[in-house]
């Protein structure tokens, strides 16, 4: 009995090859073409021994049937994954990869628009609208899929179509992914029965296949889903850093729920603070680079009026909300909490109310020493607290005494300047006096100083507007109260005047009764009215 343990395609391919040799009819199909082509090469069934031999017959079927259809090319490429290196040596894999990419490119050129529709005003894709080939590619192994996507990119397939294919492949390959809810926290468990598709390999490959085109926008939900999975399966550091970098480019569009990444390290805090910290560092570095580009440009513009400053304010509000969300975590160290606070520049917060709330929540959940409490509270600018926050801070026993005194002092100064009509000019003049250069500076340093002064001006104006709105609100309340009191006093005066009128009419008969009886009559008439 002959045995061929390494025969490509197994007994079925060997049987078909023997049928061909003995002239027995059989049908060549996409299901058996890959194994049959490898068997023909293994048995050296070439034109050297017979015309129209099995090698030429299988090659003709690949060129005329398989490569003309994307679906059939995907089916044959999938079957090649079980044939080992033989399928690569005979050129089946290369042919199928090129055929898939070419057919997808033809479809794009012919139709002009694929079935994928993307709302131009949104970075998120509409689910349920896929390119017709996206579903077929999900059956490929990760290595074959990688080759196909790279070939598509080389032929000019739209980045948005490639992104949608990556999303669909990830949702099918990485368990816990759905269109409406991508990787919910309750389902973040790797699928151990995944077989050859190692999840770590899938995550790392999907990240490397993402288009580098700045105009292409990968949905944030997909990026955070991959990031959570990369952390869970302990993907390569470069993979996680790339995901963090991509997220940092659109940090102002991130929601609070996206940042609540669970920590997988034992004994650590409930949430992955380090990852969020690195994302924020990347974002701030990019902002600094943009500022340097503005400083080096010939036509300089005000940074505070640029979209970059508005983005920074949004990120500031997002981080303050994030701090309030993670503050109750009993395992959150003071060092990590403080690092998240101090990394943001002062001009990222117009009002410190949200920061004060986060610090107060942390003080409730963590018993700190007096020194640690002072160290944490120093990040709060008492001059940037609203009236409501100042009232709360003045009665907060968890705050150190020095901060309570500062809050009361600045509140007293506010009231004093408000009633004197200066509206905070004292603060303003004190702050801006420190920004005057005392020595000659280079043009670049001078521009940096002016930009810093403009930033302080902008923030001071914003605080003055907030304070002015608070004073106007208080004025309306006081005015309404005075009007209510005035209304009651007017009613009383009208009643008294009507009483005097009645006394005059009925008291003309006897002038002597205007002394003592008059008082009695007046009180009686007033009570009647």
């Amino acid at each position: 009995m002959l045995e061929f343990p390494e025969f490509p395609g197994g007994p079925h391919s060997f049987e078909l090859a023997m049928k061909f040799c003995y002239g027995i009819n059989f049908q060549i199909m996409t299901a058996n073409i890959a194994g049959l082509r490898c068997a023909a090469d293994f048995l050296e069934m070439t034109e050297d021994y017979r015309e129209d031999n099995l090698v030429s017959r299988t090659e003709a079927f690949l060129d005329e049937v398989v490569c003309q259809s994307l679906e059939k090319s995907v089916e044959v490429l999938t079957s090649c994954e079980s044939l080992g290196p033989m399928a690569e040596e005979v050129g089946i894999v290369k042919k199928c990869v090129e055929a898939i990419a070419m057919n997808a490119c033809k479809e794009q050129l012919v139709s002009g628009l694929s079935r994928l529709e993307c709302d131009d005003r949104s970075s998120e894709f509409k689910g349920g609208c896929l390119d017709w080939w996206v579903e077929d590619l999900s059956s490929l192994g990760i290595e074959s899929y990688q080759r196909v996507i790279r070939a598509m990119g080389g032929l000019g397939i739209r980045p948005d179509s490639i992104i949608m294919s990556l999303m669909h492949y990830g949702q099918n390959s990485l368990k816990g992914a759905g269109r409406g809810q991508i990787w919910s926290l309750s389902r973040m468990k790797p699928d151990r029965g995944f077989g050859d598709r190692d999840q770590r390999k899938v995550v790392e490959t999907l990240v490397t296949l993402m288009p580098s085109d700045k105009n292409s926008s990968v949905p944030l939900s997909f990026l955070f889903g991959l990031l959570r999975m990369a952390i869970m399966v302990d993907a390569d550091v470069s993979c996680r850093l790339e995901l963090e970098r991509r997220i940092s480019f659109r940090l102002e569009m991130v929601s609070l729920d996206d940042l609540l990444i669970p920590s997988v390290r034992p004994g650590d805090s409930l949430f992955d603070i380090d990852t969020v910290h690195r994302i924020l560092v990347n974002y701030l570095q990019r902002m600094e680079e943009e500022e340097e580009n503005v400083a080096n440009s010939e036509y300089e513009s005000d940074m505070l009026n640029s979209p970059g400053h508005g983005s920074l304010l949004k990120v500031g509000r997002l981080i303050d909300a994030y701090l309030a969300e993670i503050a109750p975590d009993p395992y959150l160290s003071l060092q990590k909490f403080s690092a998240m606070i101090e990394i943001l520049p002062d001009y990222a917060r117009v009002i410190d109310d949200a920061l004060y709330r986060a610090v107060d929540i942390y003080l409730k959940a963590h018993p700190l020493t007096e020194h640690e409490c002072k160290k944490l509270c120093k990040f709060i600018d008492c001059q940037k607290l609203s009236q409501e926050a100042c009232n709360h801070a003045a009665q907060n026993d968890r705050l150190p005494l020095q901060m309570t005194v500062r809050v009361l002092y600045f509140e007293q100064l506010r009231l004093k300047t408000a009633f004197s009509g200066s509206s905070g000019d004292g603060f303003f003049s004190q702050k801006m006096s420190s920004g005057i250069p005392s020595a000659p500076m280079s043009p670049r340093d001078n521009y940096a100083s002016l930009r810093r002064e403009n930033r302080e001006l902008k923030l001071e104006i914003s605080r003055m507007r907030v304070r002015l709105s608070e004073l106007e609100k208080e004025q309306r309340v006081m005015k309404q109260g005075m009007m209510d009191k005035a209304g009651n006093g007017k009613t009383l005066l009208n009643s008294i005047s009507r009483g005097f009128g009645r006394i005059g009419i009925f008291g003309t008969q006897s002038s002597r009764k205007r002394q003592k009886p008059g008082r009695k009559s007046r009180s009686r008439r007033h009570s009647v009215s």
Side-chain angles (χ1 to χ4, degrees):
M1 179 178 178
L2 296 177
E3 292 184 2
F4 297 99
E6 297 181 357
F7 193 85
H12 182 64
S13 297
F14 181 78
E15 180 183 358
L16 294 179
M18 292 303 99
K19 285 183 178 182
F20 180 82
C21 293
Y22 289 101
I24 302 175
N25 292 331
F26 66 93
Q27 187 176 4
I28 300 178
M29 302 179 297
T30 56
N32 58 27
I33 182 61
L36 192 59
R37 174 65 182 86
C38 292
D41 189 80
F42 184 83
L43 297 174
E44 298 182 358
M45 301 175 69
T46 63
E47 298 293 314
D48 297 336
Y49 301 98
R50 174 187 170 182
E51 292 184 3
D52 201 18
N53 210 341
L54 187 57
V55 171
S56 60
R57 294 283 296 273
T58 52
E59 282 289 333
F61 184 84
L62 286 171
D63 294 335
E64 298 172 7
V65 179
V66 174
C67 292
Q68 302 303 317
S69 169
L70 188 145
E71 294 89 343
K72 293 179 179 179
S73 299
V74 171
E75 185 179 351
V76 173
L77 183 59
T78 303
S79 64
C80 289
E81 296 173 0
S82 61
L83 297 175
M86 176 66 76
E88 184 71 45
E89 292 173 4
V90 299
I92 305 177
V93 174
K94 182 179 179 181
K95 278 189 176 183
C96 291
V97 169
E98 293 177 352
I100 294 171
M102 184 60 67
N103 281 288
C105 188
K106 287 179 180 178
E107 175 67 18
Q108 178 177 288
L109 293 175
V110 170
S111 63
L113 293 174
S114 65
R115 297 178 185 177
L116 174 64
E117 294 181 0
C118 179
D119 188 356
D120 295 333
R121 295 166 295 178
S122 173
S123 63
E124 302 293 335
F125 293 103
K126 296 180 178 180
C129 295
L130 298 175
D131 280 297
W132 60 275
W133 48 264
V134 168
E135 194 81 33
D136 298 326
L137 297 186
S138 298
S139 61
L140 294 173
I142 187 60
E143 293 183 358
S144 300
Y145 179 78
Q146 180 180 12
R147 293 185 62 173
V148 169
I149 293 299
R150 292 195 183 280
M152 285 183 172
L155 291 179
I157 297 295
R158 287 192 305 271
D160 289 345
S161 298
I162 292 179
I163 291 172
M164 180 56 71
S165 178
L166 294 175
M167 291 177 59
H168 194 266
Y169 190 89
Q171 290 167 0
N172 289 333
S173 302
L174 301 173
K175 300 303 178 181
R179 288 176 182 172
Q181 183 180 6
I182 299 182
W183 289 287
S184 62
L185 298 181
S186 61
R187 303 177 63 185
M188 285 294 295
K189 294 183 179 180
D191 182 17
R192 299 301 179 188
F194 191 52
D196 295 335
R197 289 182 180 177
D198 177 69
Q199 295 200 350
R200 176 176 176 177
K201 176 67 174 177
V202 171
V203 172
E204 294 174 352
T205 303
L206 291 179
V207 173
T208 58
L209 292 176
M210 288 183 182
S212 58
D213 186 8
K214 293 184 179 180
N215 296 326
S216 61
S217 179
V218 182
L220 287 170
S221 57
F222 183 62
L223 291 176
F224 275 102
L226 283 179
L227 180 58
R228 288 191 179 99
M229 189 62 73
I231 295 172
M232 180 160 291
V233 301
D234 194 22
D236 189 68
V237 175
S238 60
C239 170
R240 284 177 281 177
L241 293 179
E242 174 63 19
L243 288 170
E244 294 169 4
R245 186 188 69 84
R246 287 178 176 270
I247 291 173
S248 67
F249 277 103
R250 289 181 290 156
L251 186 57
E252 69 276 5
M253 301 171 61
V254 172
S255 66
L256 177 59
D257 292 336
D258 291 332
L259 293 182
L260 298 177
I261 304 172
S263 178
V264 296
R265 288 179 292 184
D268 199 1
S269 56
L270 298 178
F271 300 101
D272 196 335
I273 314 297
D274 296 333
T275 297
V276 178
H277 188 273
R278 288 194 298 270
I279 293 174
L280 187 56
V281 168
N282 288 331
Y283 172 80
L284 294 175
Q285 288 177 350
R286 182 172 61 86
M287 293 294 295
E288 290 180 1
E289 292 175 0
E290 291 180 359
E291 287 191 22
E292 291 180 359
N293 293 335
V294 171
N296 295 329
S297 63
E298 181 178 359
Y299 299 99
E300 301 167 351
S301 60
D302 187 3
M303 178 64 185
L304 293 174
N305 292 329
S306 66
H309 186 254
S311 169
L312 184 60
L313 293 178
K314 291 180 181 179
V315 171
R317 291 192 291 268
L318 173 65
I319 296 302
D320 287 345
Y322 177 75
L323 290 170
E325 192 70 25
I326 66 175
D329 181 7
Y331 302 103
L332 178 58
S333 65
L334 177 62
Q335 180 181 2
K336 288 188 176 181
F337 189 72
S338 301
M340 286 297 300
I341 296 176
E342 64 182 347
I343 190 174
L344 278 177
D346 293 337
Y347 53 88
R349 298 183 178 95
V350 177
I351 299 296
D352 275 7
D353 285 14
L355 177 60
Y356 167 72
R357 177 174 174 268
V359 170
D360 186 45
I361 294 174
Y362 188 85
L363 293 177
K364 285 181 183 179
H366 301 80
L368 301 179
T369 64
E370 184 178 357
H371 174 71
E372 292 174 336
C373 190
K374 291 179 181 178
K375 184 179 179 181
L376 181 59
C377 292
K378 72 177 183 179
F379 298 113
I380 303 175
D381 188 352
C382 297
Q383 300 183 56
K384 294 167 68 174
L385 294 177
S386 65
Q387 180 70 42
E388 182 180 359
C390 287
N391 294 338
H392 187 277
Q395 304 174 17
N396 194 344
D397 297 334
R398 290 179 292 274
L399 299 180
L401 182 60
Q402 289 83 347
M403 181 175 177
T404 305
V405 172
R406 287 203 309 270
V407 169
L408 294 174
Y409 171 73
F410 287 120
E411 187 60 22
Q412 185 179 9
L413 278 181
R414 282 179 180 175
L415 292 174
K416 182 178 179 181
T417 53
F419 282 111
S420 64
S422 58
S423 299
D425 291 339
F427 293 125
F428 180 73
S429 60
Q430 290 176 2
K431 283 195 171 187
M432 297 311 299
S433 61
S434 61
I436 301 176
S438 57
M441 294 186 296
S442 64
R444 182 170 182 176
D445 293 338
N446 188 28
Y447 172 74
S449 176
L450 291 175
R451 188 174 57 194
R452 185 166 52 251
E453 292 178 8
N454 289 338
R455 184 180 297 139
E456 293 178 357
L457 274 168
K458 186 87 172 187
L459 292 175
E460 189 65 30
I461 292 173
S462 300
R463 285 195 291 268
M464 290 171 63
R465 287 175 178 172
V466 173
R467 182 58 183 160
L468 180 60
S469 63
E470 292 178 355
L471 290 175
E472 290 176 349
K473 183 178 179 180
E474 294 175 3
Q475 182 185 9
R476 286 195 296 269
V477 173
M478 294 173 62
K479 186 176 181 180
Q480 185 64 34
M482 294 176 64
M483 291 177 64
D484 294 341
K485 292 181 180 179
N488 295 335
K490 186 176 180 180
T491 303
L492 179 61
L493 291 175
N494 291 336
S495 302
I496 294 175
S497 63
R498 286 197 299 270
F500 277 118
R502 289 170 184 171
I503 292 173
I505 294 173
F506 294 102
T508 54
Q509 295 178 358
S510 176
S511 60
R512 292 184 303 173
K513 296 181 181 180
R514 295 180 183 177
Q515 301 288 334
K516 291 183 179 181
R519 293 172 60 99
K520 185 176 180 180
S521 174
R522 186 182 303 120
S523 62
R524 185 171 63 250
R525 296 298 182 183
H526 174 65
S527 62
V528 170
S529 63

